[in-house]
Amino acid sequence: MMHDDQVDIDIDIARQMIRDQFPQYRHEDITSVRSSGTVNAIFRIGSKSTARFPLRAMNPTECANMLRSEAAAMVEIGEHCLFPTPQPIGLGEPGPHYPMPWALQTWIEGEVATPHGLSGSTTFALDLAHLVASLRQADTRGRGFDGQGRGGHLSDHDDWMIVCFENSESLLDVARLRDLWTRLRELPSAGPVVMSHRDLIPANLLVQGERLVGVLDGGSFGPADPSLDLVVAWHLLDRDRRATFRCRLQVEDLRWKRGVAWAFQQAMGLIWYYHRTNPAMSALGRSTISRILDDPDI
């Protein structure tokens, strides 16, 4: 299990709940989807739909409110994203063997993006730049950063970074990384918030060959630091392709360095937290840290 508060859900429970609550799927093949994701257990329904069951225990009413908020964000990102993104179908109710609401969404075909074979792709780097640019064009409608997760003040994450450094002593050169965070956390604001996916990690990007064909987990779409979505360049691209990505978006120095800071903050949590329970996510954190440390401009 990845989390201390993780809820049990398996294919048999999911299949029964889907078929009981949504009879239109009674004759569809329902299968578990292997994923490095950490938030939901995912089950594919036929060829066009998917069910997502939250993994971490929470109050059912709070969970339902969260899923409704995510559904609204998914509709909004779908109106602006240049690439296909899942859209909400409905909400399922708790059952005897799973205690929370859950979500039905449309299915997007594609393979999960990885640095292997893509880190050196200019085509892919440009697709990522076009993605970020398209999301930034959405109107914030007067909304500000909601204070949840990444996307506000870097220094708000100091306590979390202390936890990460303490748990990484046997895994990383923590002294060097502490020094880097000391510098990054002091970077000033990079300007007004823009609309942001807020979690552009490889697991949320689908590809066919070198082309981006889908963007997952749009439920956090909202106003955030204009540097936040730049993390995708550090998760996936080599130095030359990062330069291509940056040039296409015309990112000035401060925003670029804040993008480094957000990528660093995210990667530090992945390495130790998922060291034993989700090796793919832990490895993502390590590769991102390596790209940052190997860049002579950082």
Side-chain angles (χ1 to χ4, degrees):
M1 295 179 68
M2 290 182 288
H3 312 289
D4 292 339
D5 57 352
Q6 188 161 319
V7 177
D8 289 331
I9 178 71
D10 60 29
I11 183 61
D12 293 325
I13 295 172
R15 187 178 285 132
Q16 191 64 50
M17 292 181 72
I18 293 166
R19 289 175 174 167
D20 284 351
Q21 297 186 33
F22 295 89
Q24 65 267 38
Y25 296 128
R26 283 181 179 170
H27 301 294
E28 296 281 8
D29 189 27
I30 300 173
T31 58
S32 179
V33 177
R34 293 185 60 185
S35 168
S36 61
T38 62
V39 178
N40 298 282
I42 303 171
F43 302 90
R44 185 171 182 178
I45 307 168
S47 61
K48 296 182 179 179
S49 306
T50 183
R52 296 163 62 87
F53 290 77
L55 284 173
R56 305 189 74 165
M58 61 188 306
N59 175 278
T61 299
E62 292 178 358
C63 183
N65 290 337
M66 177 192 74
L67 294 175
R68 291 189 186 100
S69 176
E70 290 180 350
M74 290 165 59
V75 171
E76 187 174 6
I77 195 173
E79 294 171 349
H80 300 282
C81 187
L82 288 180
F83 303 90
T85 187
Q87 293 297 290
I89 296 174
L91 293 183
E93 298 178 354
H97 303 293
Y98 179 82
M100 299 182 297
W102 45 283
L104 284 180
Q105 302 175 4
T106 56
W107 174 267
I108 305 294
E109 288 287 354
E111 301 294 327
V112 172
T114 70
H116 308 293
L118 289 173
S119 63
S121 170
T122 299
T123 297
F124 183 58
L126 291 173
D127 276 354
L128 292 177
H130 294 150
L131 166 64
V132 173
S134 72
L135 301 183
R136 288 179 175 178
Q137 294 302 309
D139 191 345
T140 64
R141 305 203 306 270
R143 293 168 293 179
F145 176 63
D146 62 10
Q148 302 298 310
R150 290 173 293 276
H153 299 296
L154 289 164
S155 58
D156 289 346
H157 299 271
D158 283 346
D159 290 345
W160 170 244
M161 293 301 283
I162 290 172
V163 172
C164 291
F165 292 136
E166 290 176 347
N167 283 280
S168 301
E169 290 284 357
S170 63
L171 302 173
L172 301 166
D173 182 353
V174 169
R176 183 182 181 189
L177 298 173
R178 285 182 191 272
D179 288 342
L180 179 56
W181 179 247
T182 298
R183 289 187 283 117
L184 292 174
R185 68 176 295 282
E186 294 178 350
L187 291 168
S189 171
V193 296
V194 299
M195 294 301 286
S196 170
H197 180 281
R198 296 175 59 169
D199 195 22
L200 282 184
I201 60 173
N204 290 333
L205 299 168
L206 298 178
V207 297
Q208 290 181 356
E210 297 183 13
R211 301 313 302 253
L212 183 63
V213 297
V215 180
L216 306 181
D217 282 358
S220 294
F221 185 60
D225 181 341
S227 303
L228 182 56
D229 279 349
L230 302 180
V231 299
V232 71
W234 297 95
H235 289 322
L236 280 164
L237 303 177
D238 65 19
R239 187 182 179 197
D240 289 342
R241 259 45 64 171
R242 288 196 302 273
T244 299
F245 172 87
R246 179 180 180 179
C247 181
R248 181 54 61 96
L249 286 172
Q250 298 182 336
V251 182
E252 47 85 23
D253 285 347
L254 175 58
R255 287 191 179 186
W256 189 246
K257 288 180 180 178
R258 283 184 66 93
V260 173
W262 290 122
F264 180 75
Q265 187 273 352
Q266 185 174 45
M268 283 300 305
L270 298 178
I271 296 170
W272 68 271
Y273 190 89
Y274 296 113
H275 180 57
R276 291 185 175 86
T277 59
N278 192 331
M281 291 300 286
S282 182
L284 170 63
R286 283 185 177 276
S287 64
T288 300
I289 294 292
S290 293
R291 289 188 185 90
I292 292 171
L293 294 178
D294 289 344
D295 193 301
D297 298 324
I298 302 306

